[in-house]
Amino acid sequence: MNRTHILHALVAVAVLLAGWLIYRTLSQYSWQDISGSVAAIPTASFGLALVFAACSYLCLTFFDFLALHYVGKPLSYPRAALASFTSLAIGHNVGVAALSSGAVRYRFYSRWGLDGEEIAKLIVFCGVTVGLGLVTLAGLCLILLPGTAGRIAGLGTAASVTLGIACLVLGSAYLALAAFVRGELKVKGWRFALPTARLAGLQILVGTLNFACVAACLHQLLGGKAGYMETTAAYVVGNLTALVSHVPGGLGVLEATIAFLLGGSASIGALIAFRVVYFFIPLPLGLVSLLASEALLGSNGDAGLRENPN
């Protein structure tokens, strides 16, 4: 079996796994639960939630676009967007996104001339962008509304402001290192090639905007029962908990954490609707995108794409 056949087999396994995950996830809710939760949300709020979810996935495409510049392979934006949306629509549901979405990214970017090391660096860059976005948004929440966000995080006002400043200092330190440190940064045997200051600044910007859009999506579905900053603080904590758990899509962990932190403000119907909007709807679109790319790009287009990557 040659390399192309192996890759096709891996794609088929990924599709089957995603299908099983859809079944497993949906089986935990009855159709009445899902349809009822969506029907109870005002049409305007549900529409805005869809818009904010789309804005989040749009921000995520720039994670890949910036990463391609970082590794020195600046492909066109449409290619970066295709690889990003397909990999993350699937990876968000499969869990352990660095591996699941990374496998899909490898399929796309290896076609377009990137080697294994470059793809690994791209994935790390995207992961750093996620971390910078979470830390920056958490810092803003804790400083702007220390009473509300601090209560969500279990902190007093003074501790909330202190932690918020520390979060923003982390992002500022990263930006300063990118601006003034040349070459590689060595930390306990690990070597990191820092991006330019411009790329680092854009990482912080798009990373923060991404999570701000996700929180806005959730806020719309909660129907105004909790403030935006309060919802954002709860989402940041819930998302961190889900990332640590490595449960596929944070299934159950994200909802349980948000419900615990927001109490009666977060109804189970709104949380089910959030999973439908942000996870379930993009997943089949990502699968269609993956299958279509295999049919249209396939192995026959690999050589031509390598010759003309832009």
Side-chain angles (χ1 to χ4, degrees):
M1 182 180 290
N2 61 31
R3 180 171 172 270
T4 300
H5 290 153
I6 292 173
L7 288 172
H8 286 168
L10 290 174
V11 169
V13 170
V15 171
L16 291 174
L17 176 61
W20 175 74
L21 284 168
I22 293 175
Y23 168 77
R24 193 191 71 168
T25 303
L26 290 177
S27 67
Q28 299 194 35
Y29 307 111
S30 68
W31 173 248
Q32 289 75 16
D33 289 333
I34 296 174
S35 60
S37 66
V38 173
I41 297 170
T43 302
S45 295
F46 190 77
L48 283 173
L50 288 171
V51 170
F52 283 123
C55 288
S56 168
Y57 278 92
L58 176 63
C59 289
L60 289 170
T61 63
F62 285 98
F63 285 27
D64 282 57
F65 187 63
L66 295 175
L68 286 164
H69 283 75
Y70 168 70
V71 300
K73 291 293 180 69
L75 301 180
S76 64
Y77 173 74
R79 290 186 178 182
L82 175 63
S84 173
F85 175 77
T86 305
S87 62
L88 292 173
I90 295 171
H92 281 165
N93 288 274
V94 173
V96 195
L99 296 178
S100 55
S101 62
V104 180
R105 278 187 171 113
Y106 181 84
R107 178 57 179 156
F108 278 100
Y109 291 128
S110 61
R111 277 196 195 103
W112 296 332
L114 278 71
D115 59 30
E117 181 180 353
E118 290 167 336
I119 296 171
K121 288 180 179 179
L122 180 147
I123 293 170
V124 171
F125 182 93
C126 291
V128 171
T129 307
V130 169
L132 289 169
L134 273 176
V135 167
T136 303
L137 189 59
L140 291 173
C141 288
L142 291 168
I143 291 174
L144 294 177
L145 284 178
T148 301
R151 177 175 55 79
I152 291 293
L155 301 171
T157 300
S160 174
V161 172
T162 301
L163 182 58
I165 293 173
C167 288
L168 295 186
V169 166
L170 284 175
S172 299
Y174 178 79
L175 189 58
L177 287 172
F180 298 111
V181 175
R182 296 293 178 265
E184 294 184 331
L185 182 66
K186 299 178 183 178
V187 181
K188 294 183 178 180
W190 291 86
R191 294 173 178 267
F192 302 91
L194 290 166
T196 63
R198 178 175 176 273
L199 277 180
L202 289 172
Q203 275 184 280
I204 295 172
L205 176 62
V206 297
T208 305
L209 284 176
N210 166 56
F211 286 111
C213 288
V214 182
C217 172
L218 175 61
H219 178 250
Q220 288 298 318
L221 296 172
L222 291 177
K225 295 179 181 178
Y228 172 71
M229 295 300 288
E230 188 177 5
T231 302
T232 301
Y235 173 74
V236 168
V237 175
N239 194 59
L240 287 171
T241 305
L243 286 173
V244 171
S245 73
H246 293 308
V247 173
L251 180 59
V253 178
L254 182 64
E255 289 92 337
T257 305
I258 293 174
F260 173 76
L261 294 174
L262 293 181
S265 299
S267 67
I268 186 61
L271 294 175
I272 291 174
F274 174 68
R275 185 159 289 277
V276 169
V277 169
Y278 197 76
F279 292 88
F280 293 169
I281 292 177
L283 179 55
L285 297 177
L287 291 174
V288 170
S289 175
L290 178 62
L291 294 174
S293 69
E294 288 300 309
L296 297 175
L297 300 179
S299 58
N300 291 333
D302 287 358
L305 287 167
R306 285 195 181 98
E307 292 170 3
N308 183 25
N310 291 309

